[in-house]
Amino acid sequence: MSFAKMISVAGLVATVSAHMKMKSPAPFDPSALNNSPLDASGSDFPCKFGNGYSATGGTTNTYELGSKQTLSFVGQATHGGGSCQVSITYDQNPTKDSKFKVIHSIEGGCPAKGVSGNMGDSADADDPFTYPYTIPSDIPAGKATIAWTWFNKVGNREMYMNCGALELTGTGGDQANFDKLPDMVVLNIGGHPQTLESSDYVFADAGSSVEDNTSGSQVATCSNDGCTQGNTAGSGSSNSGSSGSDSGSGSGSSESSAAAPSPTTAPSPTSAAGGVFITEPAGGSDSGSGSSATTPAAAPSSASSAAQADPPAATPSSSTGSGSSTGSGSSGSGSSSGTGLTGACSPEGTYNCLGTTYQQCASGQWSVVMQMAAGTNCKAGQGTNLNIAAVAVSGRKARAFRA
């Protein structure tokens, strides 16, 4: 197989086979649900309906008003995380005209926290990160549809959406309370505006139930009108949802299986910026001491632990990176000599490479120092891109490619 074909096949592994699907709530007809994002044309909005897939089959999620539930996933192509919403419509067979209202927003770190690329290439592996949310106690009971939507942080500008059958039990709800909930955000499909690359997204109207995982990250504020750089919503400062928790189980009655408990550790990411690694003998057609490639402003992989209640966006790390950065084009309170810069910085999004570690200017402050993906380093200095080079390991070299 030619090297070009190897790249193509490996890219398909991460971009098709390992994409994410909703596990809980149970989706419509899970065996027929593929794991790709919504079509860019919007032809399968909502819920990926079309091509034989419809609001039939599967298990009905029976939830009591006011009950605690858990959002969980299958797959490993987490694309650096991003932001998610859980929404409800009372249409049992939703259409493009259905009114989806948001009951919970997860800003940053969804469907994975502290993972800057993908966790692996398995489409069947359980995502160790789970997200608790609460069914509102003051909306009407009855048959409905529940939906998960996701805007990925790195990679192609995409929107994911899975839906499942829902029956809400209880009494005392009011339609007016449902109508007051925020509208579900729709972006990246069918002529809607696009999200911004390499940002965690806060929602201009996230609602009263919010999990905020954006600390230390580059943030953009998004609505149905599009996204702008920076946090102009302020929704992370007063969330009523459970912030940063990656475990939990629903306390309401449900016919679907409860989400599996989180394992002690999360899988180590295996790619940079949503891509995959391809190994090649050192004597191959592209031999040398490490071929360098410039990537767009997207962070390399860093390992994370699901055992932490709220894993940070990156783990502080010392570095013996060669060279030093004097902050050309960017301000900081020190030189990049192994432990990184601290304090204020500009312009937003600037990278500071220390060799085997790096950091980024986010929300006007230098982030903690983060480890480069295994088998790579970067050219010391500052810039809008990371100049990543592969490092020869045991007679082989790894090359990073963008999904």
Side-chain angles (χ1 to χ4, degrees):
M1 180 182 291
S2 70
F3 187 59
K5 288 183 178 178
M6 289 175 62
I7 296 173
S8 176
V9 171
L12 286 174
V13 169
T15 58
V16 176
S17 299
H19 277 148
M20 309 302 293
K21 291 196 295 187
M22 183 172 71
K23 178 180 179 180
S24 178
F28 291 117
D29 199 1
S31 62
L33 175 64
N34 68 46
N35 53 15
S36 62
L38 292 174
D39 191 275
S41 69
S43 60
D44 55 358
F45 176 84
C47 306
K48 294 189 63 62
F49 292 153
N51 299 315
Y53 185 73
S54 61
T56 57
T59 301
T60 297
N61 302 281
T62 304
Y63 296 156
E64 185 178 0
L65 295 179
S67 65
K68 305 283 188 183
Q69 302 299 332
T70 300
L71 178 65
S72 64
F73 309 99
V74 174
Q76 293 189 317
T78 52
H79 293 300
S83 296
C84 303
Q85 292 189 308
V86 180
S87 304
I88 288 175
T89 177
Y90 285 98
D91 293 345
Q92 297 175 60
N93 188 10
T95 69
K96 296 181 187 298
D97 298 322
S98 293
K99 180 171 62 176
F100 283 91
K101 290 290 190 174
V102 176
I103 63 169
H104 185 62
S105 295
I106 305 163
E107 299 180 329
C110 182
K113 302 175 187 177
V115 179
S116 43
N118 293 334
M119 294 191 297
D121 58 9
S122 172
D124 300 318
D126 284 341
D127 181 350
F129 299 97
T130 61
Y131 302 83
Y133 65 97
T134 301
I135 301 295
S137 59
D138 60 355
I139 62 176
K143 296 185 180 297
T145 297
I146 191 165
W148 157 68
T149 52
W150 168 40
F151 301 107
N152 55 301
K153 184 174 183 177
V154 298
N156 295 329
R157 301 296 81 209
E158 297 170 333
M159 179 177 178
Y160 291 75
M161 184 178 191
N162 293 168
C163 303
L166 175 65
E167 183 167 0
L168 297 173
T169 62
T171 58
D174 192 305
Q175 181 67 35
N177 294 324
F178 177 78
D179 293 338
K180 288 187 293 187
L181 293 172
D183 291 333
M184 182 183 76
V185 174
V186 179
L187 296 167
N188 296 333
I189 62 168
H192 289 268
Q194 291 195 332
T195 53
L196 302 181
E197 170 78 15
S198 302
S199 292
D200 283 330
Y201 312 112
V202 298
F203 299 103
D205 188 358
S208 61
S209 179
V210 182
E211 179 176 326
D212 175 35
N213 303 313
T214 62
S215 178
S217 301
Q218 179 172 300
V219 173
T221 302
C222 297
S223 69
N224 282 304
D225 296 324
C227 299
T228 57
Q229 201 69 60
N231 186 350
T232 61
S235 54
S237 60
S238 59
N239 58 62
S240 60
S242 176
S243 176
S245 173
D246 60 5
S247 64
S249 61
S251 60
S253 171
S254 174
E255 295 177 24
S256 61
S257 301
S262 297
T264 302
T265 57
S268 297
T270 59
S271 63
V276 295
F277 284 101
I278 302 172
T279 58
E280 180 189 23
S285 61
D286 200 11
S287 62
S289 60
S291 173
S292 64
T294 300
T295 68
S301 299
S302 61
S304 67
S305 171
Q308 295 174 291
D310 187 7
T315 303
S317 171
S318 296
S319 169
T320 56
S322 61
S324 63
S325 173
T326 60
S328 174
S330 178
S331 63
S333 61
S335 63
S336 176
S337 58
T339 56
L341 300 173
T342 58
C345 60
S346 66
E348 191 78 5
T350 298
Y351 285 99
N352 179 35
C353 171
L354 303 164
T356 58
T357 58
Y358 75 102
Q359 60 186 154
Q360 189 176 22
C361 180
S363 300
Q365 297 287 320
W366 285 113
S367 72
V368 296
V369 173
M370 296 173 279
Q371 190 69 37
M372 293 290 295
T376 67
N377 60 21
C378 58
K379 182 178 180 181
Q382 293 180 18
T384 56
N385 295 322
L386 276 176
N387 293 312
I388 299 176
V391 178
V393 180
S394 301
R396 299 177 73 86
K397 65 179 182 178
R399 297 193 56 169
F401 291 90
R402 175 79 174 281

